[in-house]
Amino acid sequence: MPRSQRNDNFIDKSFTVMADLILKVLPTNRRAKEAFAYYRDGMSAQADGEYAEALENYEEALTLEDDPNDKAFILYNMALVFASNGDHAKALDFYGQALDLNSKMPQALNNMAVIHHHLGSIAEESGDADEADRCFDQAADFWGKAIRLAPNNYIEAQNWLKTSGRGSVDVYF
């Protein structure tokens, strides 16, 4: 039984009903509708912490989806799952794939920066100053790009860039 038919929570059921109605009236092909159904089920599974199920649904949605922008969001959500599971390398790879399809995703850039900053903090705690600097520089680069796309977002990142000396003055608005 599809996840969309198993949701017990009112909000999930409401979302599913609305999504199904939209799917029925949208002038799009069957393949795109199927892709969206798998994507929707993936998001629902992800919200419930069912990451393996979410990834299965996202993978199926990817095989059906033709639109590069929609594929980018599927890949982005897959990256979120990998990041949640602590698989930073896979998360960075999937964020990169999402950005290859849609370079206007500041949220992917921000998440990549967060991962690099986290890895830099781990390296710093273990005494590897060179690796920490490399990771922090990568974080700064990704945050700089995210802030250029969304200047009113990521205030904490902007503050970190300023206080760490890794940000350039022209980044801030």
Side-chain angles (χ1 to χ4, degrees), residues 86-111:
D87 193 341
H88 302 300
K90 253 189 176 167
L92 289 169
D93 178 47
F94 277 78
Y95 285 132
Q97 289 180 53
L99 287 166
D100 287 343
L101 294 172
N102 178 358
S103 62
K104 304 279 192 238
M105 294 182 78
Q107 64 274 38
L109 293 163
N110 175 65
N111 292 355

Side-chain angles (χ1 to χ4, degrees), residues 9-158:
N9 138 353
F10 175 76
I11 294 172
D12 284 345
K13 280 185 179 180
S14 299
F15 172 76
T16 300
V17 169
M18 291 298 292
D20 287 340
L21 287 172
I22 291 169
L23 276 177
K24 287 177 183 169
V25 297
L26 273 180
T28 188
N29 66 41
R30 178 182 162 95
R31 186 177 167 99
K33 289 178 182 182
E34 254 187 274
F36 179 77
Y38 279 107
Y39 178 67
R40 180 197 61 218
D41 287 350
M43 289 190 324
S44 178
Q46 184 176 353
D48 290 344
E50 300 291 337
Y51 297 134
E53 183 182 343
L55 287 173
E56 287 175 15
N57 281 295
Y58 290 145
E59 287 167 4
E60 191 61 36
L62 266 181
T63 63
L64 295 166
E65 186 57 65
D66 293 324
D67 182 81
N69 194 49
D70 291 342
K71 279 187 169 196
F73 280 97
I74 295 167
L75 291 163
Y76 172 82
N77 278 301
M78 292 174 82
L80 288 174
V81 170
F82 291 122
S84 294
N85 289 331
D87 193 341
H88 302 300
K90 253 189 176 167
L92 289 169
D93 178 47
F94 277 78
Y95 285 132
Q97 289 180 53
L99 287 166
D100 287 343
L101 294 172
N102 178 358
S103 62
K104 304 279 192 238
M105 294 182 78
Q107 64 274 38
L109 293 163
N110 175 65
N111 292 355
M112 292 174 85
V114 168
I115 290 171
H116 283 292
H117 186 272
H118 173 70
L119 296 174
S121 296
I122 291 170
E124 189 174 60
E125 288 173 14
S126 69
D128 189 348
D130 290 339
E131 178 64 13
D133 279 342
R134 188 186 69 74
C135 291
F136 289 144
D137 287 345
Q138 285 184 307
D141 181 51
F142 285 117
W143 268 323
K145 291 174 183 175
I147 292 165
R148 281 185 193 92
L149 288 173
N152 295 323
N153 296 351
Y154 315 117
I155 302 303
E156 287 181 34
Q158 290 183 38

